[in-house]
Short mmCIF file of all heavy atoms in Angstrom, two decimals:
data_model
loop_
_atom_site.label_atom_id
_atom_site.label_comp_id
_atom_site.label_asym_id
_atom_site.label_seq_id
_atom_site.Cartn_x
_atom_site.Cartn_y
_atom_site.Cartn_z
N ILE A 6 55.41 36.54 39.45
CA ILE A 6 54.07 37.10 39.68
C ILE A 6 53.37 36.30 40.77
O ILE A 6 53.24 35.08 40.68
CB ILE A 6 53.23 37.06 38.39
CG1 ILE A 6 53.88 37.92 37.30
CG2 ILE A 6 51.81 37.54 38.67
CD1 ILE A 6 53.93 39.39 37.60
N ASN A 7 52.93 37.01 41.83
CA ASN A 7 52.11 36.37 42.86
C ASN A 7 50.66 36.31 42.39
O ASN A 7 50.12 37.30 41.88
CB ASN A 7 52.16 37.18 44.16
CG ASN A 7 53.49 37.01 44.88
OD1 ASN A 7 53.92 35.90 45.13
ND2 ASN A 7 54.14 38.12 45.18
N THR A 8 50.04 35.16 42.56
CA THR A 8 48.62 35.07 42.23
C THR A 8 47.80 35.57 43.42
O THR A 8 48.28 35.66 44.54
CB THR A 8 48.22 33.63 41.90
OG1 THR A 8 48.59 32.78 42.98
CG2 THR A 8 48.91 33.17 40.64
N GLY A 9 46.58 35.90 43.16
CA GLY A 9 45.70 36.43 44.20
C GLY A 9 44.61 37.24 43.54
O GLY A 9 44.09 36.87 42.50
N GLY A 10 44.27 38.39 44.13
CA GLY A 10 43.25 39.24 43.55
C GLY A 10 43.72 39.89 42.27
O GLY A 10 44.92 39.97 41.98
N PHE A 11 42.77 40.37 41.49
CA PHE A 11 43.09 41.02 40.22
C PHE A 11 43.94 42.26 40.45
O PHE A 11 44.84 42.57 39.67
CB PHE A 11 41.78 41.38 39.51
CG PHE A 11 41.77 40.99 38.06
CD1 PHE A 11 42.13 39.71 37.67
CD2 PHE A 11 41.38 41.89 37.09
CE1 PHE A 11 42.10 39.34 36.33
CE2 PHE A 11 41.34 41.53 35.76
CZ PHE A 11 41.71 40.25 35.37
N ASP A 12 43.67 42.99 41.53
CA ASP A 12 44.47 44.17 41.85
C ASP A 12 45.94 43.79 42.04
O ASP A 12 46.84 44.46 41.52
CB ASP A 12 43.95 44.84 43.13
CG ASP A 12 42.58 45.47 42.94
OD1 ASP A 12 42.30 45.93 41.81
OD2 ASP A 12 41.80 45.50 43.90
N SER A 13 46.18 42.70 42.78
CA SER A 13 47.55 42.26 43.04
C SER A 13 48.27 41.87 41.75
O SER A 13 49.44 42.20 41.55
CB SER A 13 47.55 41.06 44.00
OG SER A 13 46.98 41.41 45.23
N ILE A 14 47.56 41.16 40.87
CA ILE A 14 48.17 40.71 39.63
C ILE A 14 48.60 41.90 38.78
O ILE A 14 49.73 41.96 38.27
CB ILE A 14 47.20 39.82 38.84
CG1 ILE A 14 46.98 38.49 39.59
CG2 ILE A 14 47.71 39.55 37.43
CD1 ILE A 14 45.91 37.61 39.01
N PHE A 15 47.71 42.88 38.62
CA PHE A 15 48.06 44.03 37.77
C PHE A 15 49.09 44.93 38.43
O PHE A 15 49.92 45.55 37.74
CB PHE A 15 46.79 44.81 37.38
CG PHE A 15 46.18 44.30 36.11
CD1 PHE A 15 45.26 43.27 36.13
CD2 PHE A 15 46.55 44.84 34.88
CE1 PHE A 15 44.71 42.79 34.96
CE2 PHE A 15 46.02 44.36 33.71
CZ PHE A 15 45.09 43.33 33.73
N ASN A 16 49.07 45.02 39.75
CA ASN A 16 50.12 45.77 40.42
C ASN A 16 51.48 45.08 40.26
O ASN A 16 52.51 45.75 40.12
CB ASN A 16 49.80 45.94 41.91
CG ASN A 16 48.71 46.97 42.15
OD1 ASN A 16 48.59 47.94 41.40
ND2 ASN A 16 47.90 46.77 43.18
N ASN A 17 51.47 43.74 40.24
CA ASN A 17 52.70 42.99 39.97
C ASN A 17 53.22 43.29 38.56
O ASN A 17 54.42 43.51 38.35
CB ASN A 17 52.47 41.49 40.10
CG ASN A 17 52.56 41.00 41.53
OD1 ASN A 17 52.35 39.82 41.80
ND2 ASN A 17 52.87 41.87 42.46
N PHE A 18 52.30 43.28 37.59
CA PHE A 18 52.69 43.60 36.22
C PHE A 18 53.28 45.01 36.13
O PHE A 18 54.29 45.24 35.44
CB PHE A 18 51.48 43.50 35.28
CG PHE A 18 51.12 42.09 34.90
CD1 PHE A 18 49.78 41.69 34.86
CD2 PHE A 18 52.09 41.17 34.56
CE1 PHE A 18 49.43 40.40 34.50
CE2 PHE A 18 51.75 39.86 34.21
CZ PHE A 18 50.42 39.47 34.17
N LYS A 19 52.66 45.96 36.83
CA LYS A 19 53.14 47.34 36.79
C LYS A 19 54.52 47.46 37.41
O LYS A 19 55.40 48.16 36.88
CB LYS A 19 52.15 48.25 37.52
CG LYS A 19 52.53 49.73 37.45
CD LYS A 19 51.48 50.60 38.10
CE LYS A 19 51.88 52.07 38.00
NZ LYS A 19 50.87 52.96 38.64
N GLU A 20 54.73 46.77 38.53
CA GLU A 20 56.06 46.80 39.17
C GLU A 20 57.12 46.16 38.28
O GLU A 20 58.27 46.61 38.27
CB GLU A 20 56.00 46.07 40.51
CG GLU A 20 55.19 46.80 41.58
CD GLU A 20 55.03 45.97 42.84
OE1 GLU A 20 55.64 44.88 42.91
OE2 GLU A 20 54.29 46.40 43.74
N SER A 21 56.73 45.14 37.53
CA SER A 21 57.69 44.43 36.70
C SER A 21 58.02 45.17 35.41
O SER A 21 59.18 45.22 34.99
CB SER A 21 57.15 43.03 36.35
OG SER A 21 56.96 42.26 37.51
N PHE A 22 57.00 45.75 34.76
CA PHE A 22 57.20 46.35 33.45
C PHE A 22 57.08 47.87 33.42
O PHE A 22 57.41 48.49 32.41
CB PHE A 22 56.16 45.78 32.46
CG PHE A 22 56.26 44.28 32.29
CD1 PHE A 22 55.16 43.46 32.57
CD2 PHE A 22 57.42 43.68 31.86
CE1 PHE A 22 55.23 42.09 32.41
CE2 PHE A 22 57.51 42.30 31.69
CZ PHE A 22 56.41 41.51 31.97
N GLY A 23 56.59 48.47 34.52
CA GLY A 23 56.33 49.90 34.49
C GLY A 23 55.01 50.17 33.77
O GLY A 23 54.23 49.25 33.49
N GLY A 24 54.75 51.45 33.46
CA GLY A 24 53.55 51.79 32.71
C GLY A 24 52.47 52.43 33.56
O GLY A 24 52.63 52.66 34.76
N ASP A 25 51.35 52.75 32.91
CA ASP A 25 50.22 53.43 33.55
C ASP A 25 49.04 52.47 33.64
O ASP A 25 48.62 51.90 32.62
CB ASP A 25 49.82 54.67 32.76
CG ASP A 25 50.94 55.70 32.70
OD1 ASP A 25 51.61 55.91 33.73
OD2 ASP A 25 51.17 56.27 31.60
N LEU A 26 48.50 52.34 34.84
CA LEU A 26 47.40 51.42 35.08
C LEU A 26 46.09 52.21 35.24
O LEU A 26 46.00 53.12 36.06
CB LEU A 26 47.65 50.60 36.34
CG LEU A 26 46.55 49.62 36.76
CD1 LEU A 26 46.31 48.57 35.68
CD2 LEU A 26 46.91 48.95 38.09
N SER A 27 45.09 51.82 34.45
CA SER A 27 43.76 52.43 34.58
C SER A 27 42.74 51.33 34.89
O SER A 27 42.84 50.22 34.36
CB SER A 27 43.37 53.17 33.29
OG SER A 27 43.28 52.26 32.20
N VAL A 28 41.78 51.67 35.76
CA VAL A 28 40.76 50.71 36.17
C VAL A 28 39.39 51.35 35.97
O VAL A 28 39.11 52.42 36.53
CB VAL A 28 40.93 50.28 37.64
CG1 VAL A 28 39.88 49.24 37.99
CG2 VAL A 28 42.33 49.74 37.89
N THR A 29 38.55 50.71 35.16
CA THR A 29 37.19 51.18 34.92
C THR A 29 36.23 50.05 35.27
O THR A 29 36.23 49.02 34.59
CB THR A 29 36.99 51.60 33.45
OG1 THR A 29 37.98 52.56 33.11
CG2 THR A 29 35.61 52.18 33.25
N ALA A 30 35.45 50.26 36.33
CA ALA A 30 34.56 49.19 36.81
C ALA A 30 35.40 47.95 37.10
O ALA A 30 36.28 47.99 37.95
CB ALA A 30 33.45 48.91 35.82
N LYS A 31 35.19 46.85 36.38
CA LYS A 31 35.94 45.62 36.62
C LYS A 31 36.97 45.35 35.53
O LYS A 31 37.52 44.25 35.44
CB LYS A 31 34.97 44.45 36.72
CG LYS A 31 34.01 44.57 37.91
CD LYS A 31 33.07 43.40 37.98
CE LYS A 31 32.10 43.55 39.15
NZ LYS A 31 31.16 42.41 39.26
N GLU A 32 37.24 46.37 34.70
CA GLU A 32 38.18 46.20 33.59
C GLU A 32 39.48 46.97 33.88
O GLU A 32 39.45 48.13 34.30
CB GLU A 32 37.55 46.69 32.29
CG GLU A 32 38.36 46.34 31.07
CD GLU A 32 37.56 46.46 29.78
OE1 GLU A 32 36.35 46.80 29.86
OE2 GLU A 32 38.13 46.21 28.70
N TYR A 33 40.58 46.28 33.67
CA TYR A 33 41.90 46.84 33.95
C TYR A 33 42.69 46.96 32.65
O TYR A 33 42.58 46.11 31.77
CB TYR A 33 42.70 45.92 34.89
CG TYR A 33 42.12 45.78 36.28
CD1 TYR A 33 40.88 45.18 36.51
CD2 TYR A 33 42.83 46.24 37.39
CE1 TYR A 33 40.36 45.03 37.78
CE2 TYR A 33 42.32 46.10 38.68
CZ TYR A 33 41.08 45.50 38.87
OH TYR A 33 40.58 45.36 40.12
N LYS A 34 43.52 48.01 32.55
CA LYS A 34 44.41 48.13 31.39
C LYS A 34 45.72 48.78 31.82
O LYS A 34 45.72 49.88 32.38
CB LYS A 34 43.77 48.95 30.27
CG LYS A 34 44.66 48.99 29.02
CD LYS A 34 43.95 49.60 27.83
CE LYS A 34 44.83 49.54 26.59
NZ LYS A 34 44.14 50.10 25.39
N LEU A 35 46.82 48.08 31.55
CA LEU A 35 48.16 48.59 31.84
C LEU A 35 48.82 48.92 30.51
O LEU A 35 49.07 48.04 29.68
CB LEU A 35 48.97 47.54 32.59
CG LEU A 35 50.42 47.90 32.92
CD1 LEU A 35 50.47 49.10 33.87
CD2 LEU A 35 51.15 46.71 33.52
N THR A 36 49.08 50.21 30.30
CA THR A 36 49.76 50.67 29.08
C THR A 36 51.25 50.80 29.39
O THR A 36 51.63 51.54 30.31
CB THR A 36 49.19 52.01 28.60
OG1 THR A 36 47.78 51.86 28.40
CG2 THR A 36 49.83 52.43 27.29
N ILE A 37 52.07 50.09 28.63
CA ILE A 37 53.49 49.97 28.95
C ILE A 37 54.35 50.61 27.87
O ILE A 37 54.15 50.37 26.68
CB ILE A 37 53.89 48.48 29.09
CG1 ILE A 37 53.02 47.79 30.15
CG2 ILE A 37 55.38 48.35 29.43
CD1 ILE A 37 53.13 46.28 30.13
N LYS A 38 55.29 51.43 28.30
CA LYS A 38 56.32 51.96 27.42
C LYS A 38 57.55 52.22 28.28
O LYS A 38 57.73 53.29 28.85
CB LYS A 38 55.86 53.25 26.74
CG LYS A 38 56.82 53.71 25.63
CD LYS A 38 56.28 54.91 24.89
CE LYS A 38 57.24 55.33 23.77
NZ LYS A 38 56.73 56.52 23.02
N SER A 39 58.36 51.18 28.42
CA SER A 39 59.52 51.25 29.31
C SER A 39 60.72 50.56 28.66
O SER A 39 60.64 50.10 27.52
CB SER A 39 59.19 50.56 30.64
OG SER A 39 59.02 49.17 30.46
N LYS A 40 61.80 50.46 29.40
CA LYS A 40 63.00 49.80 28.86
C LYS A 40 62.78 48.29 28.71
O LYS A 40 63.54 47.63 28.01
CB LYS A 40 64.19 50.06 29.77
CG LYS A 40 64.06 49.48 31.16
CD LYS A 40 65.31 49.77 31.98
CE LYS A 40 65.23 49.19 33.38
NZ LYS A 40 66.45 49.44 34.17
N TRP A 41 61.73 47.76 29.37
CA TRP A 41 61.49 46.32 29.30
C TRP A 41 60.57 45.93 28.16
O TRP A 41 60.77 44.90 27.52
CB TRP A 41 60.89 45.82 30.62
CG TRP A 41 61.68 46.14 31.83
CD1 TRP A 41 61.29 46.91 32.89
CD2 TRP A 41 63.01 45.72 32.13
NE1 TRP A 41 62.29 47.01 33.82
CE2 TRP A 41 63.37 46.27 33.38
CE3 TRP A 41 63.95 44.93 31.45
CZ2 TRP A 41 64.60 46.07 33.96
CZ3 TRP A 41 65.18 44.73 32.04
CH2 TRP A 41 65.49 45.28 33.27
N ALA A 42 59.54 46.75 27.93
CA ALA A 42 58.54 46.35 26.95
C ALA A 42 57.72 47.55 26.47
O ALA A 42 57.75 48.64 27.07
CB ALA A 42 57.60 45.31 27.55
N LYS A 43 56.97 47.31 25.39
CA LYS A 43 56.06 48.31 24.84
C LYS A 43 54.77 47.60 24.45
O LYS A 43 54.80 46.56 23.81
CB LYS A 43 56.67 48.99 23.62
CG LYS A 43 55.76 50.04 22.98
CD LYS A 43 56.42 50.65 21.76
CE LYS A 43 55.51 51.67 21.09
NZ LYS A 43 56.15 52.25 19.88
#
Side-chain angles (χ1 to χ4, degrees):
I6 298 295
N7 286 307
T8 55
F11 227 50
D12 291 329
S13 299
I14 292 172
F15 270 88
N16 285 328
N17 276 178
F18 282 138
K19 184 176 180 180
E20 290 174 5
S21 298
F22 300 121
D25 298 318
L26 178 61
S27 62
V28 182
T29 305
K31 297 180 181 181
E32 190 164 358
Y33 295 65
K34 184 170 184 179
L35 178 64
T36 304
I37 303 167
K38 190 175 181 180
S39 67
K40 64 179 181 179
W41 304 118
K43 179 181 179 181

